[in-house]
Amino acid sequence: MFKTIKNALKTQEVRKKLFMTLVLLIVFRLGCFITVPGVDTFALAEAMESDNGIAGLINIISGGAFSRFSIFAMTISPYITASIVIQLLAMVIPSLERLAKEGGEEGRRKMNKYTKYLTIILAVVEALGIYLSYRTSGIFTNQETMTGVLVVLSLVTGTALLMWLGEQITNKGIGNGISIIIFIGIISSLPGVVTTLWNLVIVNGIFATTGLLIALAIIIGAIVLVAGVVFVQTAERRVPVQYAKKVVGRKMVGAQNTHIPLKLAMAGVMPVIFASSFMTFPAMILQIFIKDINTATGFWAGIYKFSIATSSSEVPIGYSIANSIIYLLLIVGFTFFYTYATFNPAEVSANIKKNGGFVPGIRAGKPTTEYLASIISKLTWFGGFFLALIAILPMLMRFTGLNVAFGGTSILIVVGVALETVQQLESQLVMRHYKGFLE
């Protein structure tokens, strides 16, 4: 990876893209420190110190922007939720399905436009929820209507700016812009993780042997976890394909042997990101309609506790178990959804048959489709459950009495985005015929 980055810096065009990505990410990090107008920073510090609910998870992804109530406090979650909704609607609305599959570049632009419109609507709803949730906490300088309008407008504008930054990184930089913004937000919490481990080892200025052993266990566990994620993200099942001899123009093209690479985690980390947004969205909505939701009782209060169970240590363990089960099922479901959205066995089988190819031992046509579908199903089940088990690690950590914010979901996103970005970087170098960069 380091050699790839070193070689990328020697290529002028790729170097410009890396520089553009770095500049846009600096803008993102600077925005995380710009507090929304009308907020009392001293009262904010006290309110966030006592808040142990959904703010914890949002704060990790936003890189601390939520705890500062900055313009990027909502991070990119409205865009992620909007993407989920649009893609699900494309499965049930024929016109959207045709637009997504047959619209080409124009269709993608229209789908992207619909996603942006829905993002703004969801951002307004979420911003209202955040404002109403903290209105009684005393963090705002006054309770006037214009203060609320200014706060909501600032938060929505921040989300729109993040959406634009992500788009610019994707088009003019390296990697997927939205994923990289989430990646930078998460790794910005690494100093806090180091501080947590240090506090385990040094307690009130005294060296603690037990704390040292716990810290070493966490570090070793993290290394093993990262190694496992890297293995699953890069592992692939190669399906051999043979092509018979055929006449192309006036030439006879010889038989070719190739393969179809099928990855264990073909959907990457997007199922985890989508499932996280899906689970926390109910809590954001309920904050709009229920005053003092943290102390409320009843059915909707239970739904709120269920929604924030993974990110709060004060929620009963029963809610955490139920939350983790639903979270696991959602990740597996989104893994299947994304895998089959990007790989259609019938389409691949038809292309193989059209080009005179076949899978050894399997007849062309429907048998090949069923064979590929069977392999994809097995790989997706394994990959989906692997992602889900790692993502629910924070709930399992509660039984140990430790509160390590940098949990399984964070590691999945960080490692997945890093691998994806390096692969795109290598692709950029290959396109420019960089010689010897893999030597």
Side-chain angles (χ1 to χ4, degrees):
M1 182 180 76
F2 295 107
K3 194 171 183 179
T4 300
I5 295 173
K6 178 183 176 182
N7 290 324
L9 293 174
K10 297 178 181 178
T11 308
Q12 183 178 2
E13 190 172 346
V14 178
R15 188 168 61 245
K16 286 181 179 179
K17 289 192 173 188
L18 287 172
F19 178 74
M20 175 63 71
T21 303
L22 180 62
V23 170
L24 294 172
L25 290 177
I26 290 174
V27 172
F28 162 59
R29 288 305 298 159
L30 289 175
C32 292
F33 293 89
I34 301 175
T35 305
V36 170
V39 174
D40 185 338
T41 53
F42 294 102
L44 175 66
E46 294 180 5
M48 290 301 176
E49 186 177 352
S50 60
D51 194 334
N52 197 26
I54 193 173
L57 181 60
I58 299 176
N59 199 46
I60 294 171
I61 296 176
S62 65
F66 192 87
S67 63
R68 304 182 191 99
F69 219 100
S70 83
I71 57 173
F72 293 156
M74 295 195 305
T75 186
I76 203 68
S77 59
Y79 178 82
I80 296 172
T81 306
S83 299
I84 298 172
V85 173
I86 292 297
Q87 293 192 45
L88 290 177
L89 288 176
M91 298 178 65
V92 296
I93 300 177
S95 58
L96 280 179
E97 185 178 7
R98 287 194 299 271
L99 193 64
K101 292 184 177 180
E102 303 170 8
E105 186 63 31
E106 181 65 25
R108 282 192 290 272
R109 278 199 295 266
K110 286 186 177 181
M111 293 290 287
N112 191 32
K113 183 172 67 173
Y114 297 152
T115 303
K116 289 178 180 178
Y117 289 154
L118 185 57
T119 298
I120 299 301
I121 295 172
L122 294 177
V124 171
V125 173
E126 186 176 336
L128 278 171
I130 292 173
Y131 171 71
L132 294 175
S133 174
Y134 286 95
R135 185 173 56 177
T136 57
S137 63
I139 70 170
F140 301 114
T141 53
N142 59 67
Q143 300 295 323
E144 295 179 1
T145 303
M146 285 308 298
T147 300
V149 172
L150 185 61
V151 169
V152 170
L153 185 61
S154 299
L155 291 174
V156 173
T157 303
T159 296
L161 178 57
L162 272 183
M163 186 167 56
W164 180 83
L165 287 175
E167 194 174 60
Q168 295 305 306
I169 291 173
T170 301
N171 295 334
K172 299 180 181 179
I174 298 291
N176 182 293
I178 302 300
S179 299
I180 290 179
I181 286 175
I182 297 173
F183 170 86
I184 294 299
I186 291 173
I187 65 171
S188 66
S189 65
L190 275 176
V193 176
V194 174
T195 302
T196 301
L197 294 177
W198 178 259
N199 291 335
L200 285 174
V201 179
I202 306 298
V203 181
N204 297 324
I206 301 174
F207 180 80
T209 306
T210 304
L212 175 62
L213 294 176
I214 294 174
L216 288 174
I218 292 174
I219 293 172
I220 294 172
I223 293 173
V224 172
L225 194 60
V226 169
V229 172
V230 171
F231 173 77
V232 171
Q233 294 283 0
T234 56
E236 62 184 26
R237 164 78 155 84
R238 297 182 176 182
V239 179
V241 178
Q242 293 183 358
Y243 290 93
K245 291 184 179 180
K246 60 180 180 179
V247 178
V248 178
R250 295 182 178 181
K251 295 182 179 179
M252 174 70 72
V253 179
Q256 296 180 350
N257 295 326
T258 183
H259 65 270
I260 304 172
L262 302 178
K263 292 194 172 184
L264 276 177
M266 195 174 293
V269 297
M270 292 310 294
V272 178
I273 297 174
F274 276 23
S276 298
S277 298
F278 193 89
M279 289 298 293
T280 56
F281 189 71
M284 298 176 186
I285 298 298
L286 289 173
Q287 290 179 120
I288 300 176
F289 302 102
I290 301 178
K291 187 178 180 181
D292 297 328
I293 185 66
N294 291 309
T295 58
T297 58
F299 174 76
W300 292 114
I303 295 296
Y304 176 80
K305 290 179 181 178
F306 167 78
S307 184
I308 68 170
T310 303
S311 58
S312 176
S313 60
E314 296 179 358
V315 174
I317 195 66
Y319 285 98
S320 293
I321 294 174
N323 178 286
S324 298
I325 293 173
I326 299 299
Y327 188 33
L328 186 148
L329 294 176
L330 279 174
I331 291 176
V332 174
F334 278 123
T335 301
F336 272 92
F337 171 76
Y338 257 85
T339 299
Y340 282 97
T342 56
F343 185 90
N344 188 333
E347 211 173 279
V348 174
S349 174
N351 288 334
I352 292 174
K353 184 178 181 180
K354 182 180 179 181
N355 290 289
F358 63 95
V359 177
I362 308 294
R363 292 181 60 185
K366 188 177 179 180
T368 300
T369 302
E370 293 175 349
Y371 177 71
L372 292 176
S374 174
I375 294 175
I376 283 291
S377 178
K378 294 173 183 176
L379 295 178
T380 306
W381 274 114
F382 178 85
F385 273 110
F386 178 83
L387 293 176
L389 288 173
I390 292 180
I392 64 173
L393 273 180
M395 189 277 288
L396 300 177
M397 291 292 287
R398 286 186 60 185
F399 292 103
T400 66
L402 296 174
N403 184 22
V404 180
F406 202 78
T409 303
S410 302
I411 291 177
L412 279 173
I413 295 173
V414 167
V415 175
V417 174
L419 289 173
E420 180 184 352
T421 304
V422 170
Q423 288 172 359
Q424 289 199 24
L425 195 57
E426 290 178 349
S427 299
Q428 293 281 341
L429 293 173
V430 170
M431 287 171 58
R432 284 153 185 80
H433 305 287
Y434 191 96
K435 296 181 179 180
F437 80 96
L438 287 178
E439 294 177 359

